[in-house]
Amino acid sequence: MSTETSDATKAQQTWKPPPDGSPCWVEIPARDTERLKAFYGAIFPSWEWRPAQSAEDQSKVQHYSFAEPKGLTGGIVQMPEGCAPTEQSMGSGMTVYYSVDSLDMMEKRIHECGGSTCLGRSTEGHGWFMNFRDPEGNRFGCYQFRSS
């Protein structure tokens, strides 16, 4: 048995679900899962990528885990056939915000990787935030906390 398999089996045996109401999965819809895996892998190098359960699943879901909080996972998921892409307008739907050290550096990296800015830098009590779109139009936010 490989170390990767035994580590995965051990983690699965000791895993406990998060408390009620905790985020447990962040799903990003995609027409091209490999393309978005490359995009998010480039802008968030702390994400850990995991193999799918089967070869069939690998083309449909690119699994990842966040560095913190431990246990929070997600997937870039193949959109169903015939499902047209939509653009989530500002003020509608839910937005996931990712903590970053520098909004300026993140904006530059996002643009270099094919993403775009849809809401410029805004100030909020504990820092600043911006909203972006990935290469397939999914909106997400980044948040830079003020230094103590």
Side-chain angles (χ1 to χ4, degrees), residues 2-138:
S2 75
T3 305
E4 185 178 301
T5 303
S6 64
D7 288 348
T9 301
K10 193 180 300 182
Q12 200 171 33
Q13 291 170 346
T14 59
W15 181 83
K16 290 184 175 57
D20 192 34
S22 298
C24 63
W25 175 262
V26 177
E27 187 170 289
I28 303 168
R31 288 173 299 287
D32 183 343
T33 61
E34 286 291 333
R35 176 180 169 198
L36 283 193
K37 178 182 178 181
F39 174 79
Y40 284 101
I43 67 168
F44 297 124
S46 66
W47 289 14
E48 296 175 19
W49 298 92
R50 304 186 323 269
Q53 299 288 334
S54 70
E56 180 184 346
D57 287 347
Q58 190 66 42
S59 67
K60 294 180 180 176
V61 181
Q62 301 293 329
H63 293 269
Y64 60 87
S65 296
F66 297 98
E68 290 292 331
K70 289 288 185 206
L72 181 55
T73 64
I76 297 173
V77 179
Q78 180 72 48
M79 293 170 56
E81 189 70 36
C83 183
T86 61
E87 188 170 290
Q88 182 186 5
S89 59
M90 293 300 299
S92 68
M94 187 179 254
T95 305
V96 175
Y97 284 82
Y98 301 101
S99 178
V100 299
D101 292 331
S102 166
L103 281 173
D104 294 332
M105 293 301 296
M106 181 55 66
E107 181 177 36
K108 181 178 183 219
R109 195 177 322 158
I110 287 168
H111 287 208
E112 289 170 349
C113 294
S116 61
T117 302
C118 58
L119 176 66
R121 180 185 291 261
S122 299
T123 302
E124 190 275 330
H126 298 287
W128 307 269
F129 65 94
M130 295 176 77
N131 276 208
F132 302 97
R133 292 198 192 287
D134 69 23
E136 294 208 9
N138 297 303

